[in-house]
Amino acid sequence: MFQTKVEIPSSKLKIDYENSIMTLGSCFAENIGKKMQEVYFKTDFNPFGVLYNPVSIKNSIDLLLGNKKFTSADIFEYKGLWQSFSHSSAFSDTSAEGCLDRINDRFEKSSALIRQTDVLMLTFGTAWVYEEKESGYVVSNCHKLPADRFNRRRLEVGEIVDAYNCLVCSLMNTNPELQIILSVSPIRHLKDGATENSVSKSTLLLAVSELQEQFENIHYFPAYEIMMDELRDYRFYASDMFHPSDVAVEYIWQRFSETYFDQTTLKMKKEFEQLVADLSHRPLFPESDEFQKFQINLLKRQMDLKTRYPFLNSRI
């Protein structure tokens, strides 16, 4: 076997289908969130869009806990689009009303959920941040505004740890049973430069290590290490040569499942994966007797699964 396998210690944290899960952070947080939703876990992911740095993730959670209502004072217009420094371009719109509707509709659902969620997964992508010069605010997205409007700097380890000491205390006051999974995104930020990316990732890893030592409810999943040490071959990368390929995402998802799901949950997940695959099946001859029988059997399986697992009625 031409591979160095990353050994993941057995985790005391176990996630099942009764749990509510929220993921925030980089593209990897979105990948895991989508994987969980696909197999019917109660999951919410990236209510602000993709977030890259720990401060923006922390600021976003503070907003959710504060139950903020976004108004016209929180958005700006640039080159015909209304946008928010707290959100990705997925929330941008040609009208202020459209932008605010997108933001607030998504925000209200997630603000309610974070108070009830059992597991919060946060994925840090980079320690590099952009601060708006006028306000000193660390933006989640620059939205292609002129570079001279921002100060670019790298967060210090202590700065991240201090920020998350405050955040974890706020979260625990709101939700004392909350469990937190931290990970460092396996996606390299090569636009910062190869050396700068390595220093950035090291900063994030050191911060996570310190936070783990301080809080019993913080767990670490080594997504970055799996990508760097197990999946070194370029066949595990997408065409841009730095995002993980679908095969790599699927492999890391399976390692995540093995780490945090017990045998009962893994068995249920396998059943749901097969159901999802069959529901997605597109036949060459939809009018054929064979496909009609397949659909009847599929409907029976759906009804059987809903009977055995009543929660599916609200998630399928």
Side-chain angles (χ1 to χ4, degrees), residues 49-234:
V50 174
L51 304 170
Y52 298 101
N53 71 79
V55 171
S56 289
I57 296 170
K58 189 258 186 193
N59 289 343
S60 299
I61 296 172
D62 284 338
L63 291 170
L64 290 172
L65 293 174
N67 201 19
K68 176 182 173 57
K69 176 76 174 179
F70 284 82
T71 68
S72 58
D74 300 305
I75 60 175
F76 63 92
E77 186 271 336
Y78 182 66
K79 291 189 175 181
L81 286 177
W82 288 89
Q83 310 185 82
S84 160
F85 278 135
S86 298
H87 294 78
S88 76
S89 57
F91 292 86
S92 302
D93 198 275
T94 53
S95 73
E97 294 79 8
C99 179
L100 288 172
D101 285 346
R102 288 186 184 186
I103 288 171
N104 285 316
D105 286 349
R106 188 76 172 80
F107 183 88
E108 287 172 13
K109 298 172 186 175
S110 299
S111 182
L113 181 60
I114 199 168
R115 289 165 171 75
Q116 306 166 19
T117 197
D118 299 296
V119 180
L120 181 64
M121 180 176 175
L122 309 177
T123 302
F124 301 158
T126 179
W128 289 98
V129 299
Y130 288 84
E131 291 176 331
E132 189 190 19
K133 289 181 179 178
E134 186 176 336
S135 65
Y137 184 73
V138 173
V139 301
S140 298
N141 196 305
C142 294
H143 296 294
K144 299 182 179 180
L145 269 70
D148 60 10
R149 284 195 55 174
F150 305 97
N151 288 318
R152 177 180 177 270
R153 68 179 182 88
R154 191 179 67 239
L155 297 170
E156 300 291 337
V157 173
E159 186 177 3
I160 299 170
V161 172
D162 289 346
Y164 275 78
N165 276 326
C166 295
L167 176 64
V168 173
C169 289
S170 296
L171 285 166
M172 297 303 290
N173 286 335
T174 303
N175 187 352
E177 300 302 316
L178 178 68
Q179 298 293 309
I180 300 171
I181 300 173
L182 297 181
S183 66
V184 173
S185 172
I187 300 167
R188 293 171 296 166
H189 288 251
L190 293 182
K191 289 181 180 178
D192 295 329
T195 301
E196 289 82 356
N197 172 74
S198 295
V199 175
S200 168
K201 296 291 188 185
S202 299
T203 300
L204 299 176
L205 290 165
L206 286 168
V208 168
S209 179
E210 286 197 31
L211 289 167
Q212 256 194 302
E213 291 178 5
Q214 293 179 25
F215 295 97
E216 291 184 0
N217 66 324
I218 288 184
H219 314 267
Y220 179 65
F221 178 71
Y224 177 75
E225 291 84 346
I226 291 171
M227 192 74 206
M228 294 299 105
D229 290 322
E230 286 194 46
L231 308 180
R232 300 186 207 179
D233 196 292
Y234 273 106

Side-chain angles (χ1 to χ4, degrees), residues 8 11 13-15 21-23 28 32-33 35-36 41 119-123 181-183 219-223 226 249-262 266 269:
I8 304 176
S11 176
L13 171 61
K14 294 300 175 186
I15 301 170
I21 304 109
M22 180 181 284
T23 72
F28 177 69
I32 293 294
K35 288 288 186 184
M36 298 193 85
F41 282 96
V119 180
L120 181 64
M121 180 176 175
L122 309 177
T123 302
I181 300 173
L182 297 181
S183 66
H219 314 267
Y220 179 65
F221 178 71
I226 291 171
V249 171
E250 180 63 28
Y251 179 78
I252 297 173
W253 162 238
Q254 294 306 322
R255 295 298 307 276
F256 181 90
S257 301
E258 293 165 3
T259 303
Y260 296 113
F261 302 160
D262 61 21
L266 286 170
K269 170 179 166 283

